[in-house]
Every structure is written in structure tokens, then in C-alpha cells.
């Protein structure tokens, strides 16, 4: 027990005091109690507790579901509903704010403790995952290659800014859509799309070079890149990661230098080196 800080939201004062006594016996620290929705929101934003125990039916014009929704819009604080209501309408409203628990009154102390303990653990894990996602997103956005992640059905899950610039498609517009709707990478030798055989990519990354892409302005781009399987488990695939690098300007400069080295600058005819 780490003396987690709890906010109790309960309009029945006697029940709130009894709940405080139970929680403190388990080692929790009750930092505040509220009997109305607006009061609960104000205390939650001021005290920032580790978890909120929220009754659904409260005094005043704001019930527990609305209070939880308002708090969630500003602070990432987990909450558990404590209520005697089990009707379908109340349950559906409660689901919308994604509580970490839903305990029916009357409840046993062990049930309360277990639900709080699991809720705190799940919130900690979710917070770590969110931080990792933000870190990975920042890394993927900062590199110089275009990155596109697709699922097994080749529907777009993620695109970084470089990929948007190369393809001319915006992530929000193509997310969930098949990559073939906006990306066709043509091999100059076979005139085939390199993504047509993406399911054949093995354990190791597959690289492609000098493929052609028509950008949104109808201009051909020359790209290098790779396709890598995203492993979910040892023998299963969760999707594919496609990298794109625009080498159009590099190819143009290379061809220009090759021409200059083999042709006379004045006449444009082949020079001695070319002969």
C-alpha cells in the first residue's frame, strides 16, 4: 500500500464517512469528500487525487456521470462508480466515460479494496503505455524518412509528416483506408507495384530502390525504401511498416554530374573520356 490519495463523491454524508473509515483502514488517504457534481469537479481539479470513488446519483444539477466526464476532459484521473443503479440506460451512460470499475451497493470491503487496487494498477499501466506511444510518435515524426504503418489488411494505422509530404495524402484522411488507394510504387524494370507482394515479406526487411511514385501534382518521384513485418507474437504478423525516402533530387544531380563528366560543356558533344 502506497497511501494513495482518494476523493469520495457521495451525497449521503453518513455513507461517505463510513466509506472514509473503510478506506483509511486499508491504508488509503481520503483527501476530500463532495456531495454535489460541481463540487466534485472543483475538488478533483484542485486536489488531483490518485483515484475518485463516484456515486452516480448526486445532489444538485450534475450527476456523477456528468461530473466524471467534466473531470476527464481536464485531468487523467481514474474513477470508480459506486451506485445502486443497474438499469440499462445508466450503464450505457457510465460506459461512455470509461470508468475503471463499477461497484453495486451494498458492497463488501474486500470487493472495494480489490477494485481500487486493480483500477490503480490498470491506470498506471495505461499511463506508461501512453508515454511510450508519445515517445515513439515523436521519434517517428523526427526522422527524415517517410513512415507508414498498416495492418494485415493493409489499412493505414499511422503516417508521419514526411510520408504525408511524399505521398501528398494526409493521415487523418487515409487512416483506416487501404494503402493502395493513394500509394502505388512502380518498379521501373517490371512496371509492378512493390506493395502488391507485401504479404510475401519474410522475417527480414525487404528493401526496394529507384521505384517511381506519381505525387499529388502529377510529377514522378524516385524513391528508395523498405518493408518490414510487425510481429505481434513469435509466429504471427500484426501488420507492416513501410519506409520511404525521396531521392528524386539526388538522382537528378547524379545524372547531371555524369553528363557533365562525359560531354563537352561548350558543344555538348561526347568528350575524350566518353570516347
Amino acid at each position: 500500500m502506497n497511501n494513495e490519495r482518494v476523493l469520495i463523491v457521495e451525497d449521503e454524508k453518513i455513507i461517505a464517512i463510513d466509506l472514509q473509515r473503510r478506506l483509511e483502514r486499508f491504508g488509503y488517504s481520503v483527501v476530500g469528500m463532495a456531495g454535489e457534481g460541481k463540487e466534485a469537479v472543483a475538488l478533483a481539479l484542485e486536489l488531483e487525487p490518485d483515484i475518485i470513488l463516484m456515486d452516480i446519483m448526486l445532489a444538485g444539477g450534475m450527476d456523477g456521470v456528468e461530473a466524471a466526464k467534466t473531470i476527464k476532459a481536464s485531468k487523467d484521473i481514474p474513477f470508480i462508480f459506486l451506485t445502486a443503479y443497474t438499469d440499462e440506460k445508466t450503464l450505457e451512460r457510465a460506459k461512455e466515460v470509461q470508468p475503471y470499475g463499477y461497484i453495486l451497493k451494498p458492497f463488501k470491503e474486500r470487493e472495494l479494496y480489490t477494485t481500487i487496487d486493480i483500477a490503480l494498477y490498470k491506470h498506471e499501466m495505461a499511463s506508461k503505455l501512453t508515454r511510450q506511444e508519445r515517445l515513439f510518435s515523436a521519434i517517428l515524426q523526427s526522422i527524415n524518412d517517410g513512415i507508414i504503418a498498416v495492418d494485415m489488411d493493409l489499412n493505414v494505422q499511422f503516417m508521419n509528416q514526411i510520408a504525408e509530404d511524399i505521398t501528398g495524402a494526409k493521415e487523418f484522411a487515409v487512416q483506416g483506408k487501404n494503402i493502395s488507394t493513394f500509394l502505388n510504387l512502380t518498379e521501373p524494370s517490371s512496371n509492378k507495384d512493390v506493395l502488391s507482394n507485401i504479404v510475401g515479406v519474410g522475417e527480414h526487411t525487404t528493401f526496394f530502390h529507384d521505384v517511381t511514385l506519381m505525387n499529388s501534382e502529377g510529377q514522378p518521384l524516385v524513391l528508395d525504401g523498405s518493408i518490414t513485418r510487425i510481429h505481434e507474437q513469435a509466429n504471427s504478423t500484426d501488420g507492416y511498416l513501410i519506409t520511404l525516402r525521396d531521392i528524386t533530387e539526388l538522382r537528378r544531380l547524379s545524372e547531371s554530374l555524369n553528363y557533365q563528366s562525359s560531354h563537352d560543356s561548350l558543344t555538348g558533344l561526347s568528350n575524350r573520356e566518353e570516347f
Side-chain angles (χ1 to χ4, degrees), residues 234-250:
N235 297 316
S236 64
T237 302
D238 195 37
Y240 302 91
L241 191 70
I242 302 161
T243 67
L244 303 172
R245 176 173 296 178
D246 186 357
I247 60 169
T248 307
E249 187 64 18
L250 181 63

Side-chain angles (χ1 to χ4, degrees), residues 223-272:
L223 307 176
D224 283 349
S226 64
I227 304 172
T228 305
R229 287 174 57 183
I230 302 174
H231 293 279
E232 182 180 16
Q233 296 177 350
N235 297 316
S236 64
T237 302
D238 195 37
Y240 302 91
L241 191 70
I242 302 161
T243 67
L244 303 172
R245 176 173 296 178
D246 186 357
I247 60 169
T248 307
E249 187 64 18
L250 181 63
R251 282 288 176 268
R252 189 190 67 79
L253 291 173
S254 177
E255 292 172 359
S256 177
L257 289 174
N258 287 336
Y259 180 86
Q260 292 176 18
S261 65
S262 60
H263 291 75
D264 182 79
S265 59
L266 181 61
T267 64
L269 299 175
S270 298
N271 60 18
R272 181 178 299 177

Side-chain angles (χ1 to χ4, degrees), residues 165-209:
D165 295 340
I166 292 175
T167 63
K170 296 296 182 181
E171 182 188 35
F172 74 86
V174 298
Q175 196 165 42
K177 296 181 180 180
N178 194 282
I179 193 171
S180 62
T181 60
F182 67 94
L183 185 64
N184 186 286
L185 304 175
T186 306
E187 288 182 317
S189 57
S190 62
N191 205 34
K192 291 183 179 180
D193 184 2
V194 298
L195 300 180
S196 61
N197 193 35
I198 192 171
V199 294
V201 173
E203 295 293 326
H204 302 289
T205 299
T206 297
F207 296 93
F208 52 84
H209 303 280

Side-chain angles (χ1 to χ4, degrees), residues 10-275:
E10 168 63 62
D11 62 344
E12 294 288 344
K13 191 67 174 178
I14 295 177
I15 296 177
I17 293 174
D18 178 64
L19 188 55
Q20 178 183 14
R21 178 182 57 82
R22 296 189 191 193
L23 291 172
E24 290 176 344
R25 189 163 63 245
F26 280 127
Y28 295 106
S29 174
V30 176
V31 295
M33 290 189 288
E36 297 184 357
K38 290 183 178 180
E39 182 186 8
V41 173
L43 283 177
L45 299 183
E46 176 188 351
L47 301 174
E48 297 188 18
D50 297 312
I51 194 167
I52 301 172
L53 301 183
M54 179 87 72
D55 191 7
I56 290 182
M57 300 306 295
L58 300 173
M62 178 184 288
D63 68 5
V65 176
E66 286 299 320
K69 186 181 298 184
T70 304
I71 295 169
K72 189 174 181 179
S74 300
K75 298 290 183 180
D76 181 24
I77 302 174
F79 54 89
I80 297 172
F81 285 129
L82 306 178
T83 181
Y85 291 86
T86 59
D87 60 280
E88 193 66 28
K89 183 178 180 181
T90 301
L91 287 172
E92 289 302 317
R93 290 184 64 231
K95 289 178 184 178
E96 291 178 3
V97 291
Q98 301 175 350
Y100 278 76
Y102 195 99
I103 303 179
L104 296 178
K105 299 176 181 178
F107 49 81
K108 297 180 179 180
E109 287 188 351
R110 178 55 58 179
E111 179 187 4
L112 175 64
Y113 169 74
T114 302
T115 304
I116 293 175
D117 192 42
I118 292 175
L120 289 168
Y121 175 77
K122 288 175 64 178
H123 181 258
E124 182 184 0
M125 293 300 101
S127 297
K128 287 182 179 179
L129 181 60
T130 298
R131 289 193 294 269
Q132 288 181 341
E133 289 176 345
R134 289 172 180 168
L135 173 62
F136 293 149
S137 178
I139 293 172
L140 292 174
Q141 293 290 359
S142 65
I143 62 178
N144 292 325
D145 288 351
I147 301 290
I148 305 176
V150 298
D151 61 18
M152 286 297 295
D153 297 321
L154 305 188
N155 297 321
V156 176
Q157 304 298 304
F158 170 84
M159 286 179 63
N160 67 354
Q161 182 63 53
I162 301 298
E164 289 184 345
D165 295 340
I166 292 175
T167 63
K170 296 296 182 181
E171 182 188 35
F172 74 86
V174 298
Q175 196 165 42
K177 296 181 180 180
N178 194 282
I179 193 171
S180 62
T181 60
F182 67 94
L183 185 64
N184 186 286
L185 304 175
T186 306
E187 288 182 317
S189 57
S190 62
N191 205 34
K192 291 183 179 180
D193 184 2
V194 298
L195 300 180
S196 61
N197 193 35
I198 192 171
V199 294
V201 173
E203 295 293 326
H204 302 289
T205 299
T206 297
F207 296 93
F208 52 84
H209 303 280
D210 296 333
V211 300
T212 303
L213 169 69
M214 300 298 293
N215 65 11
S216 57
E217 298 178 355
Q219 299 173 331
L221 300 180
V222 182
L223 307 176
D224 283 349
S226 64
I227 304 172
T228 305
R229 287 174 57 183
I230 302 174
H231 293 279
E232 182 180 16
Q233 296 177 350
N235 297 316
S236 64
T237 302
D238 195 37
Y240 302 91
L241 191 70
I242 302 161
T243 67
L244 303 172
R245 176 173 296 178
D246 186 357
I247 60 169
T248 307
E249 187 64 18
L250 181 63
R251 282 288 176 268
R252 189 190 67 79
L253 291 173
S254 177
E255 292 172 359
S256 177
L257 289 174
N258 287 336
Y259 180 86
Q260 292 176 18
S261 65
S262 60
H263 291 75
D264 182 79
S265 59
L266 181 61
T267 64
L269 299 175
S270 298
N271 60 18
R272 181 178 299 177
E273 291 295 330
E274 179 70 3
F275 280 115

